Amino acid sequence: MNTFKKVLALLLAFVMMTAMFAGCGDNSDEEKETVADVTGAPEISEPVTLTVLTQRHPGTTTEAEDLWFFKYMEYWFAEQGYDVTINVQQTNEAKQQTSLLLGTDSLPDLVWAISLGRTDVMQYGVEEGIVLDWTPYLNENLMPNLCARLAEEPAIKNSHTAPDGGMYALPYLTPSQIASGSYGTSERLYFRQSWLDAVGLENPTTEEELLEVLRAFKNVKTENGQKAIPMVSAANFLEKYLWTCLGFYGTEPNKYGSNLMIKDGELVIPAYTESYKHFITLMKTFYEEGIIAKDYFSMDDATAGGLMRDNVCGALCWWTLEYVGDDFKDIVCANPILLGDNDEIHVSRLSNHTANTIWASADTEHPELVAMLVDFIYSDEGAFLYRYGPKAGEDPLGLVEGWYYDEKGEVTTEMVANGTYANMAAYGRDRLFPNDSAGLRPAVVTNGTGEMIEFIDSVTGETYTCIDNQKIDGETNDGHWRLITIEKWTDKATSIRLPGAYLDSDQTAEASDIITTLQQHITSESAKFITGQRSLDEIEKFWEELERLRIEDYLEMHRVAYADYLEQING
C-alpha cells in the first residue's frame, strides 16, 4: 500500500495543499460550544456496514454497488484495521427520495453527491437534528484534508456554516482557474478593431468615449450593404456589463438589476438604488438612438448571432466569438469603464465549489468512520483515485485495467482509446464513481505549465494561488477571447460570490413570494422606461411601488442572513 501511494503521489497533477491547521472549525465565533471535538480515529474491532445513497449521471449502464471507488474504500479501511462493508444504493429521483427520507427520519449513513438545500439545512439540521453536524469531526486529526481545503478558501467554510455555527453538509470543490478567461458574470463586451479603425477611434475608456464610439459605428459601411447596428447582445450581456461598470458584483446581475448584489460593501438590489437611474438612462439612449436594434427586446439568439456573423455590428456581447469565425483576431475586449459616480469595478470569478453535496445522518452509529471516508476524497490521492481510478496494472483489487498517459500527455484508459467510452468522464461515471459532484476534483496538468499563478482579490486584497492547468492558445477562436478577457479583467476579479442564504422555512416561502412579484414588476417597468412608454421622471414613483411590494422586507431578511458573511468580507 505504501508503494502504491507513493506512485500516485508522483502522478498527482497539482500542488494546492497549504499547511494544515489544528481545529479547523475553531476560527468562527459562532461555533457550537456544546459538542466536543472528536479528535481521533475510533477503536472498532467488529464488522461495520455503512450505507451510502448516491445519484448517477444519466446514461450509466452499471449499478452503483459495482463501482470501483467504494470497493476500494473497503480495501482502504481494511489497510487501517477496520472491517467495513459499504452498501451503495443509487437513485435517479434524488430530490423526491431524499425528501422522503428526511421526512421519515430514515436517512442512510451517508448521502453522496446529492445537494441538500439551505432550507433543508435549517429544518432538518438546525431545527430537528436529523442531519449530522460535521463540526465535531472537522479537526486535523480526523479530517485533515478537508480542514486544509477550507483553510485555503475560508469563504467556502463561511458559506457552509449555518446560523447556529453547525456545518451540516460539505462542498464539492473544483480547482481555481482564474486564467480560464471566464469570470461567470458580466465582462463580455467586445469591439471589432476594424470598425474602430474605420471611425478613427480607440477602444473607449470613459462613458463619453463609449457613446462616441457607438454613435460613430452607426455610419460604418458594412460589407453586404446592410445598415449597421452598432451593438448586438445575447444573454443580457450588455446589461450585465453596465451593472458591473456601475459597481455591482457578488452574483449574477440579472437583466434589470433585480437580484441581490453587493455594492460598496452593502447588500442591495440594483434596481432599488440611485444607479438604476443611470442604467435606465443609458439603455434608453441606446434604444432611442438606434445603437441597439428596435427589435432588441424580442430578438432571438439565432438572429443576433447572424448579425455578428454577417459583420453588421461593431460591438458584440456574447458567450464566445463563435459567430465571427476566422475573423476572431479582429476582436478586442472592451475596457472596464467607470459609470456614473462609481469609483470601483469588481467581477466575481466562477465559483470553485458546489454547496452542500455530501451529508450524513445524525443517527449513524459510526460518524468517525463516515468522516474518515469523506475526508479521503478531499485529499490529492483520494480525489485522483475517485476520478481516474488506479494506474494501469496497479489496481490492488484487480477489477479495472487502470489509466495511463497517451501521446498527448492526457489521462486515458484502453476502454476510451478503443472507443468503448467517448472520454474519461464517461468511463469514470460508469466504472469508477457515481457522480462528479463530490469531494475534490483534481486539476490534471496536460497542456498547461503546471505552475502556480498568484491571484490578488480586488475586494479583499488577499492573495490566492491557482494552478495553470489549461493551456490557452491565442491562435484559436476560443483561446483568443479568453486571452483578451484575461488581460482586461483579471485585476478586477474577486473571489466573492454571494452564497445561498440560510432562511428558515417560513422566511423562505415568504421571500420567494416577494421576489417573484418584485422581479416581474422590475422587468415590466424597466422595459417601459427604456422604450419610452413610461417617463424617467417616474423612477422614484417606481421605487415607491417596489416598497409597496415589500422590497424592504425582502432586503432586511437577507441583510440579517448575510450579516456575518458581509462583516467577514468587509473586515
Side-chain angles (χ1 to χ4, degrees), residues 151-361:
E152 293 168 359
E153 297 277 2
I156 296 176
K157 178 180 182 297
N158 295 337
S159 70
H160 280 71
T161 301
D164 70 340
M167 196 169 179
Y168 294 92
L170 305 176
Y172 169 49
L173 304 176
T174 54
S176 176
Q177 295 188 59
I178 195 66
S180 71
S182 178
Y183 301 103
T185 48
S186 51
E187 74 288 349
R188 301 186 193 195
L189 170 61
Y190 304 97
F191 297 112
R192 294 182 186 270
Q193 184 61 51
S194 57
W195 283 49
L196 290 171
D197 293 341
V199 298
L201 296 172
E202 301 291 331
N203 192 341
T205 59
T206 67
E207 181 175 346
E208 291 74 19
E209 291 175 0
L210 174 63
L211 286 168
E212 181 184 12
V213 163
L214 294 174
R215 285 165 176 156
F217 279 178
K218 293 170 64 177
N219 300 315
V220 171
K221 302 298 183 181
T222 64
E223 295 173 359
N224 58 10
Q226 284 184 261
K227 183 179 180 180
I229 301 174
M231 182 158 49
V232 170
S233 175
N236 308 324
F237 277 125
L238 167 59
E239 293 86 347
K240 295 172 186 178
Y241 172 84
L242 297 179
W243 286 122
T244 299
C245 293
L246 283 163
F248 297 92
Y249 67 96
T251 188
E252 184 76 12
N254 214 339
K255 186 169 187 176
Y256 297 125
S258 58
N259 278 358
L260 286 167
M261 299 193 76
I262 300 170
K263 182 173 182 179
D264 299 329
E266 300 293 330
L267 192 70
V268 296
I269 291 178
Y272 188 57
T273 68
E274 286 292 328
S275 297
Y276 179 75
K277 290 181 179 178
H278 203 102
F279 168 83
I280 287 293
T281 300
L282 264 177
M283 286 297 297
K284 184 176 175 66
T285 299
F286 294 158
Y287 180 78
E288 290 183 340
E289 295 190 14
I291 290 171
I292 55 177
K294 289 299 180 181
D295 59 348
Y296 175 82
F297 299 101
S298 59
M299 185 181 294
D300 59 31
D301 284 1
T303 301
L307 294 172
M308 295 178 193
R309 182 179 55 247
D310 294 340
N311 200 357
V312 175
C313 53
L316 48 147
C317 308
W318 201 259
W319 298 94
T320 65
L321 303 178
E322 60 179 309
Y323 287 106
V324 303
D326 293 337
D327 293 334
F328 63 87
K329 286 194 175 181
D330 186 38
I331 304 299
V332 295
C333 186
N335 293 306
I337 294 174
L338 293 171
L339 297 179
D341 60 357
N342 180 44
D343 60 3
E344 58 183 27
I345 294 176
H346 308 287
V347 60
S348 297
R349 64 186 174 119
L350 287 170
S351 177
N352 62 339
H353 74 280
T354 303
N356 301 338
T357 67
I358 297 181
W359 40 292
S361 169

Side-chain angles (χ1 to χ4, degrees), residues 51-68:
T51 55
V52 177
L53 175 68
T54 184
Q55 63 179 333
R56 301 295 301 279
H57 282 279
T60 52
T61 62
T62 59
E63 294 299 318
E65 62 186 14
D66 296 325
L67 293 170
W68 180 86

